[in-house]
Amino acid sequence: MLLEFRTENYKSFKDELIFSLMPAPKQKGLDYSILHEKIGRKAYKALSSAIIYGPNASGKTNIIGAMHTFKSIVMRGNIRNSGIFPPNIASNYLELIPNNTLTKAKPVSFSIRFVDEGLIFEYGVSADLGLFLEYEHDRKILKEYLNINEKPVFERDETLVISPLKFLRGYLVNDFERNEESLISIAGSNLDDEELFLMNGFKNMISAKIATMISTWLSRKFMVFCSADSLQLVRQSSESNSPIYIEKTVNEAAKIFGINSNDLGYVCDGENQESKLCSLFNNGQEKGNLIPAELFESYGTIRFVNMFPLVVDALINGGTLIVDEFDASLHPMALMNIINIFHNDELNKKNAQLVFNTHNPIFLNPNFFRRDEIKFVERDDETHCSIQYSLADFGTAGRGGVRKGEDYMNNYFVNRYGAIRDIDFSPILEEALQNFVEDTE
């Protein structure tokens, strides 16, 4: 489960962003939203969900984009461009990352804390990527570190320091203890300015198990989707002899959500073995008929079908599902039910988490989310830089305090919490209409 993610100098977040999924102190209510994990003698707690509010262009998507970028860098093991065009292009074209208001280069930093397989990991990396759009800059990793169970494993800056690793016995490569001094010396002398030590020297010479545990968690459980379009999944048929595959769980959920056909299934393309979502019609016939789902189903239905397997996967594997505009085209009742499932201790047994941004104020309700689960993002009109904070940061006392049972939605719209913008298009439209009248006279 994710405890905390940090980034600095990522797009609009010039100063450090701390996105925490750890419960704020002295918060009461909705205790079922709290996840528990015991490691050794210490117990760790995390929030099962978080929701992010803010006006357009405030930086909400940049939070999710930073997570996706960090994940992409670690998975490929370097800070070089990859040439692939994902929904989050900045994750592979790193010259797009630094804050564009800076006139002097400042390091870009990422760090993450999470719990998995009975261990707590903290890993961070800081790199000199130059200035915004500085394509020819010689990139360099300035700092990299790994802590496990609150103990240092390695720290890299100008040199490499490996801490005593007896507490990781059983995770180290064969004969590490016998050849420790020589392996550490070789690892330190082979550092590459653009390559992560974690996914190269550390993985090859110290602990392939630890590096694999981290990369596996990032690839399978850190489920980051920084664009609604990236939810477009391609399903594979589980039966090679059957051209039509109906995934029972998804199909039944889709019927509850609302479909216009009898069933939804995946039809295999014989050439590339990929499958396409189709609407199936029985019409009293044994074989029935089918057409591509996008020709018959609503956009909301198709998006739900693409998204629902991710919810199932997160619940089964204890993943952290993070989606930009998760609620786009989905009815609030369907979304509230999904949120309640993540809050349900009996269903969410693997400590799955759900994080998404939204413009829908219906979720600003103390019966749906705790104060520390409600996040806000605000962007300064003069500096163009973003900050993120939670409703819990207001406290409960004093004139600006937020007390349990208050009308969060009303308070938000009267600008008690910030992260909202007055918008009036009337002067622009009035001028445009006046110009149109004058041009036609």
Side-chain angles (χ1 to χ4, degrees):
M1 62 186 185
L2 177 64
L3 299 179
E4 184 180 84
F5 175 80
R6 297 185 181 219
T7 190
E8 186 174 356
N9 192 26
Y10 183 91
K11 293 192 173 183
S12 62
F13 288 96
K14 184 174 74 171
D15 298 326
E16 186 179 46
L17 157 74
I18 303 175
F19 187 84
S20 177
L21 285 180
M22 293 182 289
K26 300 181 181 179
Q27 292 289 297
K28 298 180 180 179
L30 304 186
D31 291 337
Y32 51 75
S33 291
I34 305 300
L35 308 177
H36 300 265
E37 187 83 30
K38 191 172 183 181
I39 299 177
R41 296 180 179 179
K42 192 169 182 179
Y44 291 87
K45 296 180 180 180
L47 301 170
S48 63
S49 62
I51 187 167
I52 308 170
Y53 282 94
N56 292 107
S58 61
K60 300 187 303 299
T61 298
N62 287 346
I63 296 176
I64 299 175
M67 295 177 180
H68 184 270
T69 298
F70 167 74
K71 174 179 176 176
S72 299
I73 290 173
V74 177
M75 294 305 297
R76 66 177 179 260
N78 62 67
I79 55 171
R80 295 185 287 272
N81 287 343
S82 73
I84 301 173
F85 291 90
N88 177 25
I89 295 178
S91 65
N92 285 332
Y93 287 86
L94 304 187
E95 58 271 7
L96 299 175
I97 289 175
N99 181 270
N100 66 347
T101 67
L102 293 174
T103 57
K104 183 178 180 180
K106 176 183 177 182
V108 175
S109 301
F110 304 96
S111 69
I112 196 167
R113 292 182 76 225
F114 66 92
V115 173
D116 191 48
E117 296 191 32
L119 299 174
I120 177 168
F121 299 87
E122 181 176 357
Y123 173 71
V125 61
S126 177
D128 175 11
L129 303 181
L131 292 168
F132 179 68
L133 296 183
E134 193 173 357
Y135 297 99
E136 303 301 324
H137 186 79
D138 291 329
R139 298 172 185 163
K140 181 180 181 180
I141 294 174
L142 302 176
K143 185 176 181 180
E144 185 183 3
Y145 72 93
L146 174 65
N147 300 331
I148 295 179
N149 289 357
E150 316 288 359
K151 298 179 180 179
V153 176
F154 73 79
E155 183 172 355
R156 165 196 184 177
D157 41 36
E158 292 296 329
T159 59
L160 177 68
V161 177
I162 307 291
S163 300
L165 300 179
K166 290 185 179 180
F167 74 100
L168 289 179
R169 188 172 294 165
Y171 293 97
L172 305 176
V173 297
N174 294 335
D175 297 327
F176 173 80
E177 291 181 273
R178 189 170 61 183
N179 302 306
E180 179 176 354
E181 188 174 334
S182 62
L183 287 173
I184 291 176
S185 176
I186 294 171
S189 62
N190 285 278
L191 292 176
D192 186 297
D193 283 348
E194 293 188 336
E195 292 189 349
L196 302 182
F197 176 65
L198 173 69
M199 302 306 296
N200 295 282
F202 180 81
K203 181 177 182 179
N204 296 327
M205 287 180 274
I206 299 177
S207 178
K209 289 183 180 179
I210 292 295
T212 300
M213 288 172 70
I214 294 172
S215 63
T216 298
W217 185 85
L218 287 171
S219 63
R220 296 196 59 193
K221 296 186 180 182
F222 195 45
M223 307 164 66
V224 184
F225 296 87
C226 60
S227 167
D229 294 337
S230 62
L231 286 173
Q232 183 67 38
L233 302 178
V234 177
R235 310 292 294 178
Q236 300 289 334
S237 172
S238 64
E239 301 178 43
S240 58
N241 296 327
S242 174
I244 301 175
Y245 171 50
I246 298 177
E247 196 171 64
K248 185 174 182 294
T249 302
V250 176
N251 189 48
E252 291 180 353
K255 288 182 177 180
I256 294 173
F257 181 82
I259 59 176
N260 294 320
S261 53
N262 297 110
D263 294 289
L264 290 177
Y266 300 95
V267 179
C268 183
D269 183 337
E271 293 183 1
N272 54 28
Q273 294 301 306
E274 291 184 347
S275 51
K276 189 172 185 179
L277 184 66
C278 288
S279 298
L280 308 178
F281 304 89
N282 295 334
N283 297 335
Q285 304 175 27
E286 184 177 346
K287 287 187 176 181
N289 299 303
L290 59 91
I291 61 173
E294 65 264 22
L295 299 179
F296 197 74
E297 307 294 346
S298 70
Y299 175 77
T301 297
I302 294 173
R303 194 168 189 275
F304 172 81
V305 171
N306 286 330
M307 174 272 295
F308 193 73
L310 301 173
V311 173
V312 175
D313 187 42
L315 292 167
I316 290 176
N317 296 306
T320 300
L321 179 58
I322 303 169
V323 186
D324 182 35
E325 297 184 354
F326 182 74
D327 60 335
S329 302
L330 301 184
H331 194 280
M333 292 299 290
L335 189 59
M336 279 191 282
N337 182 257
I338 292 174
I339 294 168
N340 288 335
I341 288 172
F342 279 84
H343 289 175
N344 189 325
D345 296 337
E346 296 182 359
L347 292 175
N348 188 6
K349 296 181 179 180
K350 296 292 186 66
N351 287 346
Q353 295 166 296
L354 175 65
V355 177
F356 64 97
N357 59 29
T358 186
H359 293 287
N360 192 337
I362 193 174
F363 305 111
L364 285 169
N365 188 315
N367 295 316
F368 297 154
F369 289 98
R370 293 162 49 99
R371 290 193 295 274
D372 46 8
E373 291 181 302
I374 298 173
K375 316 287 186 179
F376 297 105
V377 178
E378 191 167 59
R379 189 171 184 176
D380 188 277
D381 288 335
E382 294 184 3
T383 66
H384 302 288
C385 294
S386 302
I387 59 171
Q388 177 258 310
Y389 50 96
S390 82
L391 195 56
D393 292 335
F394 288 85
T396 57
R399 187 173 181 179
V402 179
R403 295 167 182 81
K404 184 179 178 181
E406 285 192 14
D407 189 339
Y408 297 166
M409 184 190 302
N410 180 70
N411 289 347
Y412 179 59
F413 280 113
V414 297
N415 202 15
R416 272 191 58 186
Y417 309 142
I420 195 169
R421 181 176 298 157
D422 291 329
I423 296 177
D424 184 6
F425 299 119
S426 301
I428 298 174
L429 293 174
E430 183 178 0
E431 182 180 355
L433 291 170
Q434 181 63 36
N435 291 338
F436 175 77
V437 172
E438 292 175 356
D439 290 342
T440 57
E441 289 179 351

